[in-house]
Structure formats: structure tokens, C-alpha cells
Amino acid sequence: MIIDQLGYLPTNLVAVSARRGTGSPLALMTYSLNGGGARRKRKAVGELTPFPTLYWFCCPVVGKAISELERDGFVGILESRLSENSALLDDFIECHRGYARERWNLLLPEHQDYLLQSERMTGMVRDSGIAGTNYQSFYNPPLEASATTTIITTQSTRNSDVESSPTGPNKASIKCLHAHYAHYRSQIERPVECDYPLNIIGLW
């Protein structure tokens, strides 16, 4: 079924994380290295290339409906809705942080060590949010990841803890409705309750 949807089976597939009512896959959980199709792999540099999409939307039927929402301007509508409600925006940022934390913690320790050798690769997998969003830019002035991230690189714990800005966020940016919906559906269909806020964009 996944091959029918995407044209290939992702080599970094972990599990089907959400399904339609028909039972067909809606979203996939992927490992954050060496993902993507053949075209992306041809452009890859090195054997371990970052793939920051933890929950990958894969259903062409639902995807068409979401694309229509994007064409109708819903990205801007939802961005405005977030920017006008500080409580929702705070939850949205916590959702990005939780996504990044979950993605990083899924990696094997040796792969975390590999990514930590490069600031760019670390930023892609450990620090960016859903769809690669730089959620620290929601603040004015934008937060610097190096100033707000505590890195623990011992063998037992390799987690990041991004502290909140004292000035608070004041704007929002949404990159891809497909990515947010894949994340939301994966959150609500997981067997264990998610330990960070639900993706409000996917819920809407």
C-alpha cells in the first residue's frame, strides 16, 4: 500500500503512525537519517544524511483535500488565528519543541553523536520544529538556538531543553498543512498519550 501511495518504500520507515478509516496508511513515522526518494538520495552528501520529517504524510486522497485548503489561503488564516491568541501560540511552540525532542530522542546515541559534529545537521534534526520550522523566529527579536538550548551529550542522556523567552512569542509561521496534519493524526492514534500539546493546526 505504501509503495502504491509514494511509488517506493522509504528505507527509513519505522512504522505506520496513522491510518484512514479505510485502514490505508495516512502518515508514517520515519527515522531521521537517510530518508526520502531516489532523487533526494542522489543529492545526499555522506552516508548519514539528516531527514527531519518525523511524521510523513503519505495519503494522496486526503493530501489532495489539504492542498485545496492551502490554495484557498488557509495557511494565512491559521497563522492569523495563532498570532491573535497568545495561549494558543504558546501551545503551538511547545508542540514544535515536543516534536523536535521526540525526533532527537528516537535516534541511536551514535547517530546523535554523528549529527552533533555539524551545527547545520544538529539544527535540522534537534532544533527545528515541524516541517523544519524555526519556531524560535516566532519571538521578536528571534531567539538564538545557541543561547537558549542546553546540550547534554553524555552517553545516557542526549536531550535538548529550550527555555522560554521572557518577552513571549508574537507571531506564527506555518510551512505545510500536510506535515501538521500527519503529526496531529499520529499524536492521537499513538498507543501512549503524547507528553506535549496536540498539534492545533492539524486539529483545526
Side-chain angles (χ1 to χ4, degrees), residues 50 104 112-124:
W104 183 255
Q112 292 180 352
D113 288 339
Y114 171 78
L115 293 172
L116 286 168
Q117 298 175 44
S118 165
E119 182 177 348
R120 177 177 176 274
M121 291 194 300
T122 301
M124 290 176 65

Side-chain angles (χ1 to χ4, degrees), residues 20-142:
R20 295 181 63 199
T22 61
S24 62
L26 179 76
L28 311 174
M29 173 184 272
T30 63
Y31 196 71
S32 295
L33 289 171
N34 297 345
R39 182 177 179 182
R40 186 179 190 278
K41 288 180 179 295
R42 285 195 296 269
K43 295 180 179 180
V45 179
E47 297 181 357
L48 298 176
T49 302
F51 185 80
T53 304
L54 177 60
Y55 294 109
W56 190 358
F57 190 87
C58 64
C59 177
V61 177
V62 179
K64 182 178 180 180
I66 295 175
S67 294
E68 290 177 358
L69 290 176
E70 291 181 332
R71 284 193 294 270
D72 289 342
F74 270 81
V75 169
I77 292 171
L78 297 179
E79 286 177 343
S80 296
R81 188 182 297 181
L82 282 172
S83 297
E84 293 167 359
N85 189 315
S86 60
L88 288 179
L89 184 52
D90 283 339
D91 279 350
F92 186 55
I93 290 173
E94 287 305 315
C95 183
H96 277 292
R97 287 181 177 142
Y99 183 100
R101 181 174 62 250
E102 182 182 3
R103 180 178 55 206
W104 183 255
N105 290 341
L106 184 66
L107 291 171
L108 295 172
E110 56 265 35
H111 290 158
Q112 292 180 352
D113 288 339
Y114 171 78
L115 293 172
L116 286 168
Q117 298 175 44
S118 165
E119 182 177 348
R120 177 177 176 274
M121 291 194 300
T122 301
M124 290 176 65
V125 179
R126 190 197 63 189
D127 300 331
S128 70
I130 302 147
T133 299
N134 176 17
Y135 58 86
Q136 292 150 357
S137 68
F138 295 178
Y139 296 85
N140 188 18

